Amino acid sequence: MASGKYIFTSESVSMGHPDKLADRISDSVLDALLDQDPMSRVACETVVTTGLALIVGEITTKAIVDYSDIVRQAILAVGYDDDESGISGRTCNVMVALDKQSPDIAMGVDASGDKDVGAGDQGLMFGYACNDTPELMPLPIALAHRITNRLTEARFNKEVDWLRPDSKSQVSIVYEDFKPIGVNNVVVSTQHAPTVSQEEIRNFVIEKVIKPCLPANMVSDKIVYHINPTGNFVVGGPHGDSGLTGRKIIVDTYGGWGRHGGGAFSGKDPTKVDRSAAYMARHVAKNIVASGIADRCEVQVAYAIGVSKPVSVRVDTQGSGKISDEKICEVIQSFYDFTPRGIIEYLDLRRPIYSKTSSGGHFGRNDPEFTWESTANASKLAAALKA
């Protein structure tokens, strides 16, 4: 990040956003398969549009599931339960086009003899943490998620009768060097019933949704609010825009503040290092910050397909480390096992825990099943780093 004073912006989208609906369907398929067969190999992609959900990909599993029913239940769980919304889990067309995992990929991933579980693909993954917030996330994305989560809460609790599933938020934070010092502007677009006025939407969103989510010391009359800036948002969800798995990877991670290797998460079992190694990198970065060794930390790992150990590991504390990045990098490679098998076992990833990740981001969560967010070993890591 640049030094001096600047503004940084991040966005979040709700579970009803068409891309997030696609992510939820893909991860619901993954969860259903892992529930019966924890060794399932899954790469499931989803496309949603008006009245249609299509799942494609490669799956090898012993599980027997009704894919169409899984898709329908995922759509209904988000709140798309009538044809007027553009897609309904009860009546939409569901198409299933799944095949088995490529034997060439399986050969590289499977353990055999002295060969450990290999990475499911080549690639580079990043994890990030900073002390902006208690959850050790950059403040812009943390606040954007809080706002969309609050909108969803208000919709499910029926606090008003006009909220619909599709919504977005965007928060711009003023920084002085690495320190957040204020909120510059907040953008919220929320799908709504045609009968409500924009004035009512604006008042409710600002007073009941945004302000309770902002740090009390940052709420001021200087904040600019853009609420439904087009003036109308009745047509939304898959009816307003098609959705595709993996198209919101920056929303899933750090809102653009920390880097992203490019691989999506949803619909992938943990042998795919796009997902599991990104979770591990976040876990390591978070524990480095939680240990007090650094205020900020980015961890990069990279893999070759079929090879168990990463081809590279890098640590960057962005000048905030109390010991050298080189020393930290050396210690974490002896403290943590970065092989796919080591990550899967350490984080206990062969469980049906993934559909919840499809909204609100994959990081900065308090859910106990999200083991990559645990800082239980931070003190042990600190001791190892100081030794």
Side-chain angles (χ1 to χ4, degrees):
M1 294 299 150
S3 60
K5 198 172 183 179
Y6 56 94
I7 298 172
F8 193 90
T9 302
S10 296
E11 75 160 343
S12 174
V13 299
S14 71
M15 63 170 58
H17 185 282
D19 294 329
K20 282 285 124 197
L21 178 62
D23 284 344
R24 187 182 187 91
I25 292 169
S26 293
D27 273 337
S28 295
V29 169
L30 172 63
D31 280 353
L33 297 174
L34 291 177
D35 187 49
Q36 292 187 33
D37 178 10
M39 304 304 289
S40 296
R41 297 279 173 79
V42 182
C44 180
E45 312 284 350
T46 301
V47 179
V48 290
T49 188
T50 305
L52 171 67
L54 164 66
I55 58 172
V56 301
E58 298 77 42
I59 292 175
T60 300
T61 184
K62 295 178 182 177
I64 299 174
V65 300
D66 184 337
Y67 288 107
S68 292
D69 185 62
I70 294 168
V71 172
R72 294 184 186 283
Q73 293 306 316
I75 294 170
L76 289 170
V78 169
Y80 288 116
D81 55 3
D82 64 81
D83 291 327
E84 289 186 5
S85 66
I87 191 168
S88 168
R90 297 188 180 93
T91 61
C92 69
N93 186 21
V94 177
M95 299 178 65
V96 179
L98 298 170
D99 202 351
K100 291 185 178 180
Q101 183 184 50
S102 160
D104 293 339
I105 295 176
M107 179 175 61
V109 176
D110 291 342
S112 61
D114 294 331
K115 179 183 176 295
D116 198 359
V117 175
D121 200 352
Q122 71 175 46
L124 51 140
M125 300 85 210
F126 289 95
Y128 184 80
C130 63
N131 57 11
D132 277 9
T133 66
E135 59 265 46
L136 303 184
M137 287 287 284
L139 186 60
I141 188 65
L143 295 182
H145 283 324
R146 290 176 198 175
I147 290 168
T148 53
N149 290 342
R150 172 69 188 113
L151 276 169
T152 298
E153 176 187 59
R155 176 169 63 87
F156 280 130
N157 289 343
K158 301 186 185 303
E159 295 177 30
V160 291
D161 61 4
W162 44 261
L163 280 171
R164 297 295 181 263
D166 192 359
S167 61
K168 293 182 176 183
S169 67
Q170 185 172 282
V171 179
S172 299
I173 298 296
V174 182
Y175 278 83
E176 187 78 52
D177 297 327
F178 282 96
K179 183 180 179 181
I181 59 174
V183 180
N184 181 269
N185 65 79
V186 181
V187 182
V188 171
S189 295
T190 182
Q191 187 186 11
H192 57 85
T195 52
V196 66
S197 70
Q198 290 300 316
E199 181 181 5
E200 182 179 348
I201 294 172
R202 180 179 175 84
N203 290 338
F204 179 82
V205 169
I206 292 174
E207 298 301 329
K208 302 298 183 180
V209 175
I210 297 174
K211 286 185 178 178
C213 292
L214 301 181
N217 65 333
M218 291 189 179
V219 176
S220 75
D221 294 337
K222 296 181 180 179
I223 299 174
V224 177
Y225 298 101
H226 299 282
I227 311 301
N228 280 13
T230 65
N232 211 40
F233 189 3
V234 174
V235 178
H239 187 38
D241 191 10
S242 61
L244 182 65
T245 299
R247 205 156 55 180
K248 284 290 177 286
I249 57 176
I250 300 304
V251 171
D252 287 343
T253 52
Y254 309 103
W257 186 280
R259 284 179 281 196
H260 193 295
F265 301 154
S266 294
K268 297 178 180 178
D269 75 84
T271 66
K272 278 71 171 176
V273 284
D274 277 341
R275 181 169 220 158
S276 55
Y279 288 0
M280 189 65 171
R282 159 65 178 174
H283 177 74
V284 175
K286 186 175 183 180
N287 276 268
I288 289 170
V289 174
S291 74
I293 293 296
D295 294 332
R296 303 171 294 279
C297 183
E298 181 181 77
V299 174
Q300 185 202 42
V301 290
Y303 294 85
I305 187 169
V307 179
S308 59
K309 291 186 178 180
V311 298
S312 70
V313 178
R314 178 179 182 268
V315 171
D316 180 8
T317 60
Q318 300 171 340
S320 71
K322 296 179 180 177
I323 61 177
S324 72
D325 292 350
E326 183 180 2
K327 172 74 180 296
I328 297 173
C329 190
E330 178 185 338
V331 170
I332 64 168
Q333 290 182 79
S334 61
F335 195 87
Y336 295 104
D337 185 349
F338 285 94
T339 65
R341 183 200 297 273
I343 293 171
I344 290 168
E345 292 178 355
Y346 176 74
L347 295 179
D348 193 14
L349 295 179
R350 295 194 187 275
R351 296 174 294 143
I353 58 174
Y354 297 105
S355 63
K356 287 175 68 176
T357 66
S358 62
S359 59
H362 292 242
F363 307 127
R365 310 278 291 266
N366 293 321
D367 306 68
E369 61 266 43
F370 295 171
T371 48
W372 52 92
E373 290 298 307
S374 170
T375 56
N377 288 327
S379 59
K380 294 180 181 178
L381 177 60
L385 287 167
K386 293 173 182 175

